[in-house]
């Protein structure tokens, strides 16, 4: 079984900053993972073309099983709110994690975590950048039991 993890960076390319579903599909296909864990995943976000990036990854792997778990409704760094339950945020832009599997999934488990109580130092590149303290966001953990 081949396991992989991929930080999608909202689907944005590091080379030109664009979100291109064909490039994302090619990158995921090249991983050839049986189970793929995804971080920094957008669903219905304007910045990523309103795509469901977990579904794009599942199609790229020919994986029948996939699940997206939102941590927030809205856009991090702009306006967002914590997700309150699994049925929250439908029809709104969401941001979180995803899990894709070529193997049948018996159960999915979503665990919601509160933001860290302290601000975190983050390096921001470019003019006017540097080390800055940011407030944390709510987090989410997604797990699956596979057949």
């Amino acid at each position: 079984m081949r396991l992989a993890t991929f930080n999608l960076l909202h689907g944005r390319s590091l080379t030109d900053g664009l979100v291109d579903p064909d490039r994302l599909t090619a990158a995921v296909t090249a991983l050839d993972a049986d189970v793929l864990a995804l971080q920094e995943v957008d669903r219905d976000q304007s910045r990523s073309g309103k795509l469901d990036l977990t579904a794009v990854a599942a199609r790229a792997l020919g994986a029948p099983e996939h699940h997206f778990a939102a941590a927030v409704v809205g856009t991090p760094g702009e306006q967002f709110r914590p997700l309150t339950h699994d049925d929250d945020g439908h029809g709104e832009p969401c941001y979180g994690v995803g899990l894709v599997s070529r193997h049948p999934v018996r159960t999915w488990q979503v665990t919601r975590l509160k933001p860290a109580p302290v601000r975190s130092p983050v390096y921001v590149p470019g003019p006017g950048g540097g080390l800055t303290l940011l407030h944390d966001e709510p987090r989410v953990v997604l797990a699956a039991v596979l057949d």
Side-chain angles (χ1 to χ4, degrees):
M1 178 183 293
R2 185 175 172 93
L3 307 173
T5 183
F6 189 4
N7 185 322
L8 294 186
L9 298 170
H10 340 302
R12 182 173 40 94
S13 168
L14 290 175
T15 56
D16 60 16
L18 299 176
V19 176
D20 181 338
D22 293 332
R23 271 196 288 198
L24 178 59
T25 296
V28 170
T29 300
L31 291 172
D32 193 29
D34 296 306
V35 178
L36 177 62
L38 303 169
Q39 298 82 43
E40 296 193 18
V41 181
D42 278 359
R43 186 182 72 194
D44 296 329
Q45 295 276 0
S46 295
R47 66 185 180 185
S48 55
K50 302 266 186 184
L51 296 169
D52 179 341
L53 297 180
T54 304
V56 170
R59 282 192 300 275
L61 290 176
E65 301 275 5
H66 68 280
H67 192 78
F68 170 79
V72 299
V73 178
T75 305
E78 295 176 17
Q79 184 176 354
F80 66 91
R81 62 181 166 78
L83 195 81
T84 55
H85 52 81
D86 291 341
D87 293 330
D88 191 13
H90 289 288
E92 297 180 76
C94 292
Y95 175 79
V97 299
L99 195 56
V100 176
S101 176
R102 289 178 172 160
H103 299 280
V105 174
R106 289 185 186 181
T107 60
W108 298 99
Q109 172 72 36
V110 176
T111 303
R112 303 205 179 285
L113 305 172
K114 294 180 180 180
V118 296
R119 291 169 42 174
S120 302
V122 174
Y123 177 75
V124 178
L131 198 59
T132 186
L133 292 174
L134 296 179
H135 291 284
D136 196 21
E137 303 162 354
R139 307 287 172 165
V140 64
V141 178
L142 175 59
V145 175
L146 306 180
D147 217 7

